[in-house]
Amino acid sequence: MTQDATQKAAKKLFIKTYGCQMNVYDSQRMAEAMGAEGYVLTEDQSDADMVLLNTCHIREKAAEKLYSDLGRLKPLKAEKPDLKIGVAGCVAQAEGEEIVRRMPLVDLVVGPQTYHRLPQMLRGEAPKILTEFPEEDKFDHLPERKVTRRAPAAFLTVQEGCDKFCAFCVVPYTRGAEVSRPVERILREARDLVARGVREITLLGQNVNGWHGLGEDGREWGFGRLIRAIAEIDGLDRIRYTTSHPNDMADDLIAAHRDIPALMPYLHLPVQSGSDRILKAMNRKHTADQYLRLIDRIKDARPDILLTSDFIVGFPGETDQDHADTLRLIEQVGFGTAFSFKYSPRPGTPAYDRPEVDSAVADARLQELQALLSRQQKAAQEGMVGRSLGVLFEKQGRLPGQMVGKSDYLHSVFVEAPDAQIGDLVQVRIVESAANSLRGELI
Ligand code: SAH
Ligand code: SF4
Ligand code: F3S
């Protein structure tokens, strides 16, 4: 068979990814596992032999999205009875067979820790609903990452799961207990990515800075030490990581921000609230003041660091005073940007049954908080104007000759650079700040 004929014979897989970067990474790994079975990715759902929805359970709206998307798949399934529909990710883990009961068109349901068995499931050699937390490590059973041409920036999961049990959060239940991947696996995957053209790696984990493991020197390594080892890989220019918990910002990690030029001056450090009462009710296990002092230490190590965060408004019991405390914390820190959410009660979490804040009150607080955060975002972006920054080009822009990339501080930067290639890391002078991006000129 010619290569063309093989490609025509290949089955097509459409994947839709919801939720966080861990899901983006998992979708890539699932595509690779299915690739070994002869599936190629398609962007066109109606052309697919299999549709895989990689879901998120973090808020009610995110979870309900699955069911509306499944509803929309009904006509396609009616037209193509052989179409396989799979549900993966955190809703799969949380709801399991309930999904098939509500939506019988679903052929298989696979949780985040079992997706290495997808090929077996498709062949009928494994149950069609798999949501246990197996003893085995899925990464040992997945095909080696063989993607030939890589985008210049890649994700690498180093840690999964969470033992923190914040009162609002489903992650400890959907992703299971904290597990750190072994050092040699991480280094091998990182080297392999760099050998394939990757220049920037974002290390991922639900509690990425809680990562720990046995180092190559026989000692117990923390996350800062892991970053030092990764930074030694030749050809790797940039390292980032997400998401971190304040209580796991160890001294060694803070020092890495001072010592390692490849570690980008950007840190996403969710705080959720600025009120000690609410932080306690959320089971975050630190106070607002401890967070502020931590930020001071991080800024001592890396004065130009851009900080971002997550906030939940309207958590059960939140008063006007608690909300004011959160606004004050935001004023004190000055964030580059932040995600903010209205509290969504999640079944099975400790806060689920607590009396809710009036919905209109929560909406108003969210608006006020977002207005403050967008003023800070604007100020942070405007502060970049006139500065010379590194930009890693990731794709072509819409205008001819235009490239788009990320600055050291993770802002999207548009640059006129007709001779540049994707994957070039260039120095750019920022000349303008727009709504959600910057414009720069080559130096
Ligand atoms: N591990 C990360 C957060 C992962 S979830 C951390 O510890 O910060 C991403 C964000 O979703 C959280 O930071 C929180 O702000 C938000 N979130 C989680 N559960 C939520 C809920 N029930 N309602 C509203 N927002 C929620
Ligand atoms: Fe959820 Fe808290 Fe764990 Fe973050 S630290 S994943 S918010 S339980
Ligand atoms: Fe969502 Fe699961 Fe990530 S609940 S945020 S996809 S860990």
Side-chain angles (χ1 to χ4, degrees), residues 393-407:
F393 287 143
E394 292 182 15
K395 59 181 185 208
Q396 244 119 29
R398 246 180 297 159
L399 303 176
Q402 192 185 52
M403 298 293 272
V404 195
K406 292 278 160 50
S407 79

Side-chain angles (χ1 to χ4, degrees), residues 147-183:
V147 191
T148 43
R149 227 200 42 190
R150 302 272 336 172
F155 291 142
L156 201 175
T157 293
V158 302
Q159 181 278 335
E160 282 197 279
C162 182
D163 298 339
K164 297 249 181 336
F165 292 92
C166 300
F168 50 81
C169 183
V170 296
V171 171
Y173 314 98
T174 63
R175 292 274 171 168
E178 276 185 29
V179 180
S180 296
R181 289 180 73 194
V183 172

Side-chain angles (χ1 to χ4, degrees), residues 128-416:
K128 59 184 246 174
I129 299 174
L130 268 185
T131 55
E132 81 271 31
F133 290 112
E135 284 296 308
E136 62 193 12
D137 179 356
K138 66 171 176 264
F139 293 115
D140 291 345
H141 297 266
L142 285 165
E144 290 268 313
R145 310 202 68 186
K146 280 208 198 69
V147 191
T148 43
R149 227 200 42 190
R150 302 272 336 172
F155 291 142
L156 201 175
T157 293
V158 302
Q159 181 278 335
E160 282 197 279
C162 182
D163 298 339
K164 297 249 181 336
F165 292 92
C166 300
F168 50 81
C169 183
V170 296
V171 171
Y173 314 98
T174 63
R175 292 274 171 168
E178 276 185 29
V179 180
S180 296
R181 289 180 73 194
V183 172
E184 72 275 7
R185 295 298 172 80
I186 295 168
L187 289 176
R188 201 201 303 155
E189 192 170 326
R191 287 191 196 106
D192 189 58
L193 289 169
V194 174
R196 292 169 205 290
V198 167
R199 304 186 71 172
E200 171 178 317
I201 292 180
T202 301
L203 304 171
L204 297 181
Q206 268 90 20
N207 261 302
V208 71
N209 57 344
W211 179 93
H212 58 91
L214 195 63
E216 291 171 312
D217 53 6
R219 294 183 189 199
E220 178 74 6
W221 284 11
F223 188 56
R225 183 67 188 81
L226 178 70
I227 289 178
R228 282 169 205 268
I230 293 173
E232 280 166 21
I233 299 173
D234 240 5
L236 183 64
D237 299 300
R238 290 172 149 191
I239 301 171
R240 304 181 189 278
Y241 60 91
T242 199
T243 297
S244 297
H245 192 286
N247 290 357
D248 288 327
M249 283 307 293
D251 293 345
D252 185 40
L253 177 56
I254 297 175
H257 277 283
R258 180 192 62 215
D259 303 336
I260 300 177
L263 186 57
M264 291 291 103
Y266 177 97
L267 178 62
H268 183 61
L269 197 60
V271 62
Q272 315 297 355
S273 168
S275 150
D276 288 345
R277 243 173 37 83
I278 295 300
L279 286 168
K280 190 155 199 297
M282 286 176 164
N283 194 31
R284 291 291 289 185
K285 300 201 176 84
H286 63 75
T287 62
D289 190 54
Q290 282 166 337
Y291 183 83
L292 291 170
R293 278 188 283 138
L294 174 62
I295 297 295
D296 285 342
R297 284 167 54 221
I298 296 167
K299 282 188 171 165
D300 282 344
R302 183 77 208 224
D304 66 330
I305 200 158
L306 192 90
L307 294 158
T308 72
S309 193
D310 291 343
F311 294 91
I312 294 178
V313 302
F315 187 78
E318 187 187 70
T319 61
D320 285 340
Q321 183 56 51
D322 296 319
H323 175 61
D325 289 348
T326 301
L327 296 178
R328 194 167 46 125
L329 177 135
I330 296 173
E331 296 277 11
Q332 281 170 304
V333 176
F335 290 100
T337 180
F339 300 99
S340 46
F341 312 97
K342 184 173 164 182
Y343 170 69
S344 165
R346 306 304 289 132
T349 60
Y352 181 62
D353 291 325
R354 298 183 195 166
E356 279 177 56
V357 167
D358 178 81
S359 180
V361 171
D363 284 333
R365 287 180 189 162
L366 185 64
Q367 266 193 13
E368 191 182 9
L369 185 137
Q370 287 180 337
L372 172 58
L373 287 167
S374 46
R375 286 199 296 278
Q376 293 194 340
Q377 176 178 338
K378 192 158 180 273
Q381 286 190 197
E382 280 165 1
M384 298 288 157
V385 175
R387 289 184 60 183
S388 149
L389 306 177
V391 174
L392 177 63
F393 287 143
E394 292 182 15
K395 59 181 185 208
Q396 244 119 29
R398 246 180 297 159
L399 303 176
Q402 192 185 52
M403 298 293 272
V404 195
K406 292 278 160 50
S407 79
D408 304 340
Y409 304 94
L410 209 59
H411 288 120
S412 285
V413 185
F414 290 77
V415 185
E416 200 185 306

Side-chain angles (χ1 to χ4, degrees), residues 39-83:
Y39 278 85
V40 296
L41 282 178
T42 174
E43 305 269 293
D44 178 5
Q45 179 169 289
S46 60
D47 191 34
D49 299 288
M50 173 159 183
V51 171
L52 190 57
L53 304 172
N54 193 12
T55 58
C56 174
H57 201 244
I58 201 82
R59 285 167 290 276
E60 189 181 359
K61 254 198 209 137
E64 280 306 312
K65 190 114 203 357
L66 166 67
Y67 292 101
S68 52
D69 283 352
L70 285 172
R72 272 196 293 273
L73 276 167
K74 277 183 189 162
L76 190 64
K77 180 92 172 185
E79 198 184 299
K80 293 171 80 171
D82 288 340
L83 174 71

